[in-house]
Amino acid sequence: MANTAKGKLSLAGLSLMIFTTVYGFGNIPVAFYQMGYAAIPWYIIGALLFFLPFAFMATEMGSAFKNEKGGIYSWMEEAVNPTFAFIGTFMWYASYVIWMVSVANKILIPLVNLIFGSSKHMPSPLWISAAAIIWMALVTFMVSKGVDTIKKFTSVAGIAVLALNVILIFGGVLVFLLNGHPATPITLHAFVSSPAPASVFDGSAVSFIGFLVFAIFAYGGVESIAGLVDQTDKPEKNFPRGILMSAIIIAIGYSVAILSVGFFTNYAKDWLPGLNARPLNLGTVPYVLMQGLGEAISHAFGLSASTSTIIGGIFARYIGLSMLLAYMGAFFTLTYSPIKQIITGTPEKLWPGKVGKLDEAGLPKFAMWIQFAIVTVIIVLNFLTSQGGASKFFEILTYMANVSMTLPYILIVIAYWFFKKNKAIAKPIEFFKSHIVATFLTILVLIVVIGANFFTIIQPIVAYASAPAAAHTSAAFSSMLTSVISMVAGPVIFGLVGYFMMHNYTKKHANEGFEHK
């Protein structure tokens, strides 16, 4: 550490930066809710077959194009061509639009937990959607006015969310030690079979493999770490070590945290539908989890039922506050950062009207309001087409976000293969010097990401087809169709929009180049 250049990241500092960028608390309760202990092997597989190779690929391209302002658009434009780059970047941007739809619809959950100390008072999907639209309007208005001081709360939110992970793991271990056994039994079968019912995950091979998309999503944001290359001391040596070290830490962190959930949560007793009085779904499960931890610790110490309820409420309020702060910080960054990156990296005339213009503060103000309108339309359409109440509502939103955010990785990986093939591109850092190795890893990551998304998309179809004939009702068919369309429609529509926008631009302004003016 003593030899670290001034102002440069050390190996430990780099590993910590990667960890804080990639690791997400919300992935842990969702993983246990979907798969129980069986989520652990898939998180390890995701680290080995996706996170490690993709991180190295992103680092190579990021170091080669570190002076380009267009981010992943510049990577793909230089490696392939502008049309391919814009389609990939537009789909990447679309994933954040879907993220905004998904998370805005969950904004009432931390508020309800903060106020009431539980998730029992959640309103109907109508009010959830209305609150999401109001939240998006307020965030867009404040960011468009240049109010960025609220982003200072993100450091506080980061500490609060990090503390959630510490509380979860140490709390789970404490309950395990006090009780002398885990609440959910640890068996070999538990690591290869999901305990979830058909309404969540049907336990089939298709749904089991389809869970890999959740594992990939848990390592999302890995492409952003490429920007740390020039900030790292001795990057040729320390960057691969940092990626490897952080991958090990993150995979172990997720595995230990998921295991800790089973120490205080009896899946069969506490989380199976019909056996608990809590509104458990993919939106509320993190809050129910922390409330249950507070109650489990109280029970383990022999406290009364009323005291346990109070302590559970305190834990629920804490996660409500932490997640609300985290959402605020994320929205104030992601409302303008992705759209600004795609606009500044591409020609202004590519965008219709005033969409491609930046204001005096460098913000794409007009584009952000167009973004708000798009998010609002998707929220309304998703509400109108969702059936099955809040549980189905949040399930569809979660799958929409996961699929949308992992699909752009496919195009980035394809661009990497062309990047390696192009000898004219200077490559300051090369982890994979052999073209055979680079091709093998490209194919490997493509199989993992495409396969995970494919099995996720067809899972509702397989579940419907394999259900008893009596279950083949019109409502069940409509629900299945809605799930599949929700996962596919967004990326397809945005991909087509991106293609026709670039096609139209190249016809009219091909001689003007592709830099933002």
Side-chain angles (χ1 to χ4, degrees), residues 87 163 169 185 204 215 250 256 278 282 310 330 363 445 448 475 497 502:
I87 292 173
I169 293 173
S204 66
I250 293 170
V256 171
R278 298 172 182 175
L282 289 173
I310 293 172
L363 292 175
V445 177
V448 170
V497 170
M502 180 57 79

Side-chain angles (χ1 to χ4, degrees), residues 336-355:
Y336 76 90
S337 184
I339 196 170
K340 181 182 178 182
Q341 181 173 319
I342 192 175
I343 285 177
T344 55
T346 54
E348 182 181 318
K349 292 181 180 179
L350 173 64
W351 304 93
K354 298 187 293 182
V355 175

Side-chain angles (χ1 to χ4, degrees), residues 139-147 359 363 365 368-369:
V139 169
T140 304
F141 174 77
M142 295 180 74
V143 174
S144 67
K145 293 295 182 183
V147 183
D359 66 7
L363 292 175
K365 184 183 295 185
M368 286 192 296
W369 282 111

Side-chain angles (χ1 to χ4, degrees), residues 224-309:
S224 64
I225 69 173
L228 300 175
V229 174
D230 58 346
Q231 302 174 35
T232 304
D233 182 47
K234 300 177 182 177
E236 296 83 0
K237 180 178 70 174
N238 286 333
F239 217 87
R241 291 181 180 178
I243 291 174
L244 182 61
M245 184 181 297
S246 60
I248 293 171
I249 293 172
I250 293 170
I252 292 175
Y254 276 138
S255 300
V256 171
I258 294 169
L259 192 66
S260 299
V261 175
F263 288 167
F264 65 88
T265 303
N266 185 311
Y267 197 105
K269 179 182 176 183
D270 300 331
W271 281 15
L272 285 180
L275 297 180
N276 65 81
R278 298 172 182 175
L280 196 61
N281 54 57
L282 289 173
T284 61
V285 65
Y287 308 89
V288 172
L289 177 75
M290 292 304 291
Q291 181 182 356
L293 175 58
E295 293 173 357
I297 292 174
S298 303
H299 289 312
F301 277 106
L303 301 180
S304 65
S306 58
T307 303
S308 298
T309 301

Side-chain angles (χ1 to χ4, degrees), residues 315-337:
F315 273 61
R317 287 183 171 91
Y318 176 72
I319 186 176
L321 176 62
S322 300
M323 296 301 287
L324 185 61
L325 288 171
Y327 286 161
M328 287 176 63
F331 267 97
F332 272 86
T333 300
L334 296 176
T335 298
Y336 76 90
S337 184

